[in-house]
Amino acid sequence: MSQTKSPKVYNPLLELKNIHVSYGGVKALVGASMFINTGEIVALMGPNGAGKSTILKAIFGLAPIGSGEVIFESEKIKPISHEVVEMGISFVPQGRRVFHHLTVLENIEIGGFNIKSANERKERIEMVLDLFPALRAKIKAKSGTLSGGQQQMLAIARGLMIDPKLLLLDEPTLGLSPKIVKEVFKIIKEINVRRGIAICIVEHNLKSVLDIATRAYVLKSGHNFYEGPTGEVISTGVLAKAML
Ligand SMILES: Nc1ncnc2c1ncn2[C@@H]1O[C@H](COP(=O)(O)OP(=O)(O)O)[C@@H](O)[C@H]1O
Ligand SMILES: [Mg+2]
């Protein structure tokens, strides 16, 4: 089963066509395809090892693309991390990687390393803090003292410092309590609505992602298993089928 429904809107900011990635002998992606429209939230789902993280890494120049095309703003690109950042793509990897010995502010500043003007950097920090009142309240705290949810917010805040057009989020709510998961999703939605940033989110909790994502891709064994509106992914039970 694949690509059973044609998407209603096709105005891709980013598109992947028939991507293959191998790590040595391990075939992580064997012809995966997807697109993300400007300003859209898309969920990437599927069982462990399906290739979800590899897709995000491939977009960000962190996975070896053997064949296939990556197209950003109608141009074919060869993803290299620092160039992809300049193009306006931000990647928040799995695992809430913040610098524990640095303060909240210092962590956020690191995300703006490529902003040359001090004024612009300040404005950007303000813009980011407006989205995260909880971080503003802890601006001078060492990041190691933050809760898991706050550390995740900080990792996302740092990713927003480049004012991206596209934000890639890998399992941002993994290991967080249901209440915090709700908060994180609320902020992700706000980022999308208030700043118009397109988001591709790897998430296994279908119910949480239903509220924010318009479409979902289900991967299995490195290729597309299903794609469709998020509600349809629920009604068809296709995610459970992908787990078999
Ligand atoms: N650095 C790596 N070296 C070797 N194999 C890897 C590496 N990263 C991922 N893989 C393998 O590639 C496949 C896809 O992994 P991944 O993209 O992390 O899946 P997911 O995020 O969906 O759980 C898995 O079989 C995984 O074991
Ligand atoms: Mg993963």
Side-chain angles (χ1 to χ4, degrees), residues 15 30 48 93 138 189 192 244:
E15 180 157 22
V30 285
N48 271 340
K138 298 219 159 190
K189 183 71 192 173
N192 170 255
L244 296 176

Side-chain angles (χ1 to χ4, degrees), residues 7 12-13 18 60-61 66 68 71 84 109-110 119 129-130 139 152 158 176 181 185-186 188 229-230 240:
L13 174 66
N18 203 19
F60 207 68
I71 299 153
V84 170
E109 280 172 340
I110 287 171
N119 269 344
L129 287 175
D130 280 347
I139 195 80
Q152 183 59 60
R158 193 175 57 201
L176 300 178
V181 169
F185 272 97
K186 186 165 161 269
I188 292 170
T230 327

